[in-house]
Amino acid sequence: MLDKMKVKLMDFMQGRYGADHLYLASVPVYFILAIVQIFADIPFMSVLLMAFFVWMFYRVFSKNIEARRAENAKFLAFYGRVKKRVNPVWQRVRDVRKYRYRKCPECGITLRLPMKRGTHTTNCPKCKHRFEVKIRV
Ligand SMILES: [Zn+2]
């Protein structure tokens, strides 16, 4: 019984695109929007959610694999750009107890300095400029 269903599903998926990164990323987005819709009464939200749901599965079952791959590549490029921007911010949040970040006044690179309160002198590893750093909190 289960094997028969499995075979049928495999036949159905033959030549179809399947799940990709864009699909995997859209699943949590769909659920977040669905939860938001429960609490906030946004007009046409249910229609939009339905359209989004249809679009998600239209992509998975699509036979135009090249077009779906191109969409996924665009999404991955976009995601990479976002990640590049967000990662340094995340790093600072994670380091908040151990390090402080200061820019070198000479060359502008960002230095990660140990979290020690007070005024210190530091050397820029890039341009060797010596400057004072004040760390209060
Ligand atoms: Zn420097």
Side-chain angles (χ1 to χ4, degrees):
M1 174 69 179
L2 218 64
D3 280 350
K4 256 188 181 174
M5 277 172 69
K6 215 173 176 182
V7 169
K8 270 188 181 172
L9 185 68
M10 278 167 74
D11 281 348
F12 178 70
M13 285 310 286
Q14 189 76 316
R16 293 177 195 268
Y17 184 58
D20 61 0
H21 292 92
L22 180 52
Y23 168 77
L24 291 178
S26 59
V27 171
V29 170
Y30 176 80
F31 278 103
I32 290 166
L33 290 177
I35 290 165
V36 165
Q37 197 227 344
I38 293 170
F39 296 104
D41 193 24
I42 304 163
F44 303 113
M45 185 69 160
S46 58
V47 178
L48 282 175
L49 265 177
M50 187 58 98
F52 189 65
F53 190 81
V54 169
W55 171 79
M56 275 166 66
F57 284 95
Y58 163 75
R59 288 192 71 255
V60 170
F61 300 128
S62 170
K63 286 183 173 174
N64 190 350
I65 289 168
E66 276 315 304
R68 303 292 85 81
R69 272 199 189 134
E71 288 166 6
N72 194 45
K74 265 188 195 167
F75 165 71
L76 286 178
F78 167 75
Y79 181 72
R81 283 198 299 274
V82 170
K83 212 171 151 187
K84 216 175 171 183
R85 289 228 168 168
V86 170
N87 268 356
V89 177
W90 240 156
Q91 185 70 48
R92 283 185 186 214
V93 170
R94 265 180 291 173
D95 284 351
V96 79
R97 285 187 181 178
K98 285 185 176 173
Y99 300 103
R100 286 298 176 269
Y101 289 79
R102 294 292 185 270
K103 267 193 176 166
C104 169
E106 201 64 22
C107 68
I109 67 160
T110 305
L111 309 180
R112 187 174 75 165
L113 305 165
M115 165 62 195
K116 280 186 207 155
R117 283 191 184 85
T119 307
H120 312 284
T121 320
T122 187
N123 277 320
C124 172
K126 190 181 170 195
C127 67
K128 310 293 178 209
H129 178 64
R130 262 177 99 78
F131 61 102
E132 268 195 359
V133 175
K134 280 180 194 157
I135 296 174
R136 271 175 244 126
V137 260

